[in-house]
């Protein structure tokens, strides 16, 4: 993502865990010099059982990509287990096949491969046991690392769902209406409602294709952007009461007490930072949330001139150039001082850059 989200309403491959080791087809796929997309398809065709997962605290791209990948594998006659460390947010539970995703902290095989979607590092999945499997890494983060045996990282893709769509086409599979809904959700959410810089002509061409295939853009948008819980609105009120601005920099925060008082869930924090970055004249913003153990989770956004992914990476996190995050040590005042010390020089440098 290379531009801001400014919509304030939004919130080793064919092997099992046995001692047999990789099969010949998997070894050939791993050593082949072809594009990773082709290598992935070789593995999918050779194997039978797959684990599909994404990052913890899954967002629209994570959920939609997992569901579409599961549908692709089903069309190919394969078995797929869809697993995440955290439950799917309520706003995405109405997606086709969402009830097939289970939550777990550990995964066990046998699987011919584990497919990780939108994870810029293996630890992002927060699933124990992944190291036992051959890993396929499909990602589009600028902070993405090559932790898998097959790595397909395309930082120009608007969403990982876009990359899954390419796999669907390359596999000769049918783009069903259910798959189209899930993939459209990935595009809509990870472009911030077509506001981020990764949005380009091909993004709208994909959205057009998915709409023709059966995705209802109005219903998808309403399900995502107009299904806000009362708890989230109360939490938003608490955050906005703490809103601060310093030139082209803005920040806001909530305490764990605010979370408890509003009966908010973790997913209710999604999108709150956008209310700060959408202020006229603001180039970068951060939302700080105090966790129960008193660590502080940071959500960073920019309008494109400030590379917040670089800041997040220095603090142990990652993400996209204009949308990233990390978790730092508390208390809240210390975390605020730390992130402002990182942001201020970059905001000043960005202010001197041409628009």
């Amino acid at each position: 993502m290379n531009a801001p989200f400014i919509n304030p309403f939004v919130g080793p491959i064919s092997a099992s865990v046995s001692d047999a080791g990789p099969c010949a087809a998997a070894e050939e796929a791993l050593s082949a010099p072809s594009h990773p997309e082709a290598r992935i398809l070789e593995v999918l065709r050779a194997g039978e059982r797959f684990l599909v997962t994404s990052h913890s605290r899954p967002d629209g791209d994570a959920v939609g990509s997992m569901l579409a990948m599961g549908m692709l594998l089903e069309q190919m006659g394969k078995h797929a287990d869809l697993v995440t460390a955290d439950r799917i947010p309520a706003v995405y539970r109405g997606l086709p096949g969402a009830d097939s995703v289970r939550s777990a902290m550990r995964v066990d095989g046998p699987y011919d491969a584990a497919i990780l979607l939108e994870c810029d590092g293996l630890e992002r999945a927060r699933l124990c046991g992944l190291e036992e499997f051959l890993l396929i890494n499909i990602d589009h983060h600028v902070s993405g690392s090559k932790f898998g045996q097959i790595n397909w990282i395309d930082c120009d893709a608007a969403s990982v769902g876009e990359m899954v769509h390419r796999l669907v086409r390359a596999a000769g599979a049918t783009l069903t209406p259910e798959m189209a809904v899930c993939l459209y959700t990935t595009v809509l959410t990870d472009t911030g409602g077509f506001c981020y810089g990764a949005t380009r002509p091909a993004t709208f061409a994909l959205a057009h294709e998915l709409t023709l295939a059966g995705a209802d853009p109005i219903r998808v948008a309403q399900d995502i952007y107009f299904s806000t819980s009362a708890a989230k609105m109360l939490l938003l009120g608490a955050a906005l009461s703490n809103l601060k601005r310093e030139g082209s920099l803005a920040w806001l925060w909530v305490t764990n007490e605010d979370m408890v008082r509003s009966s908010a869930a973790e997913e209710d924090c999604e999108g709150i930072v956008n209310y700060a970055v959408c202020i006229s004249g603001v180039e970068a913003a951060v939302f700080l949330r105090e966790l129960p153990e008193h660590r502080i989770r940071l959500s960073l956004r920019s309008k494109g001139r400030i590379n917040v992914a670089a800041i997040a990476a220095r603090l142990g996190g990652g993400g996209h150039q204009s949308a990233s995050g990390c978790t730092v040590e508390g208390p809240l005042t210390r975390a605020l001082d730390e992130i402002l010390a990182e942001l201020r020089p970059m905001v000043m440098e960005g202010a001197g850059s041409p628009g």
Side-chain angles (χ1 to χ4, degrees), residues 259-276:
M259 295 285 294
V260 173
R261 186 185 303 115
S262 61
S263 300
E266 186 165 345
E267 62 199 63
D268 292 320
C269 296
E270 182 70 25
I272 288 180
V273 65
N274 299 316
Y275 286 83

Side-chain angles (χ1 to χ4, degrees), residues 262-326:
S262 61
S263 300
E266 186 165 345
E267 62 199 63
D268 292 320
C269 296
E270 182 70 25
I272 288 180
V273 65
N274 299 316
Y275 286 83
V277 79
C278 76
I279 297 172
S280 177
V282 167
E283 288 296 328
V286 58
F287 168 62
L288 302 90
R289 175 204 160 188
E290 183 185 41
L291 301 175
E293 66 272 21
H294 303 299
R295 299 190 77 203
I296 310 299
R297 183 162 293 146
L298 310 179
S299 295
L300 298 149
R301 296 292 184 274
S302 85
K303 288 178 178 172
R305 294 182 179 179
I306 313 301
N307 184 354
V308 292
I311 296 175
R314 288 199 293 270
L315 298 177
H320 303 288
Q321 179 173 323
S322 297
S324 62
C326 58

Side-chain angles (χ1 to χ4, degrees), residues 129-279:
L130 288 173
E131 303 83 359
E132 301 294 325
F133 309 113
L134 305 175
L135 304 176
I136 297 175
N137 168 29
I138 303 176
D139 188 29
H140 72 142
H141 290 97
V142 294
S143 56
S145 61
K146 296 182 178 180
F147 59 82
Q149 281 69 38
I150 294 183
N151 300 282
W152 182 19
I153 303 174
D154 183 355
C155 299
D156 292 325
S159 69
V160 166
E162 176 184 329
M163 301 169 72
V164 173
H165 173 264
R166 290 184 220 162
L167 282 178
V168 171
R169 287 308 189 200
T174 299
L175 181 61
T176 65
E178 293 78 14
M179 192 183 290
V181 169
C182 294
L183 292 176
Y184 187 90
T185 298
T186 74
V187 175
L188 181 67
T189 57
D190 238 39
T191 61
F194 303 101
C195 291
Y196 288 128
T199 305
R200 59 198 191 285
T203 310
F204 291 101
L206 175 57
H208 178 254
E209 179 182 345
L210 296 174
T211 301
L212 291 178
D216 183 339
I218 295 175
R219 179 173 179 179
V220 173
Q222 289 181 344
D223 287 346
I224 294 171
Y225 300 137
F226 296 95
S227 299
T228 304
S229 67
K232 178 167 183 173
M233 297 304 291
L234 292 172
L235 186 67
L236 174 61
L240 290 175
S241 70
N242 296 323
L243 177 64
K244 305 294 182 185
R245 179 178 180 178
E246 181 183 279
S248 55
L249 177 62
W251 62 91
L252 68 176
W253 70 87
V254 295
T255 64
N256 187 56
E257 184 179 347
D258 292 326
M259 295 285 294
V260 173
R261 186 185 303 115
S262 61
S263 300
E266 186 165 345
E267 62 199 63
D268 292 320
C269 296
E270 182 70 25
I272 288 180
V273 65
N274 299 316
Y275 286 83
V277 79
C278 76
I279 297 172

Side-chain angles (χ1 to χ4, degrees), residues 12-219:
I13 304 307
S14 192
S16 70
V17 293
S18 70
D19 294 330
C23 69
E27 291 175 343
E28 182 179 350
L30 288 171
S31 61
S34 58
H35 188 280
E37 179 182 342
R39 297 171 68 198
I40 291 170
L41 283 176
E42 289 180 30
V43 170
L44 298 187
R45 289 171 176 143
E48 293 297 330
R49 294 177 58 87
F50 296 92
L51 172 71
V52 181
T53 188
S54 187
H55 56 78
S56 59
R57 305 190 305 278
D59 56 12
D61 192 18
V63 176
S65 295
M66 285 181 60
L67 295 174
M69 178 63 75
M71 294 173 192
L72 169 59
L73 288 168
E74 183 178 7
Q75 281 196 42
M76 296 176 71
K78 314 299 180 178
H79 174 84
D81 286 336
L82 279 54
V83 181
T84 56
D86 297 310
R87 68 175 187 171
I88 293 178
V91 71
Y92 303 120
R93 289 178 203 155
L95 287 175
D99 56 356
S100 67
V101 181
R102 63 182 179 91
S103 298
M105 297 307 296
R106 170 173 288 277
V107 291
D108 298 299
Y111 295 113
D112 293 308
I115 304 169
L116 286 87
L117 303 169
E118 214 199 12
C119 291
D120 56 1
L122 183 60
E123 68 285 350
R124 282 277 278 137
R126 270 183 44 210
L127 285 177
C128 297
L130 288 173
E131 303 83 359
E132 301 294 325
F133 309 113
L134 305 175
L135 304 176
I136 297 175
N137 168 29
I138 303 176
D139 188 29
H140 72 142
H141 290 97
V142 294
S143 56
S145 61
K146 296 182 178 180
F147 59 82
Q149 281 69 38
I150 294 183
N151 300 282
W152 182 19
I153 303 174
D154 183 355
C155 299
D156 292 325
S159 69
V160 166
E162 176 184 329
M163 301 169 72
V164 173
H165 173 264
R166 290 184 220 162
L167 282 178
V168 171
R169 287 308 189 200
T174 299
L175 181 61
T176 65
E178 293 78 14
M179 192 183 290
V181 169
C182 294
L183 292 176
Y184 187 90
T185 298
T186 74
V187 175
L188 181 67
T189 57
D190 238 39
T191 61
F194 303 101
C195 291
Y196 288 128
T199 305
R200 59 198 191 285
T203 310
F204 291 101
L206 175 57
H208 178 254
E209 179 182 345
L210 296 174
T211 301
L212 291 178
D216 183 339
I218 295 175
R219 179 173 179 179

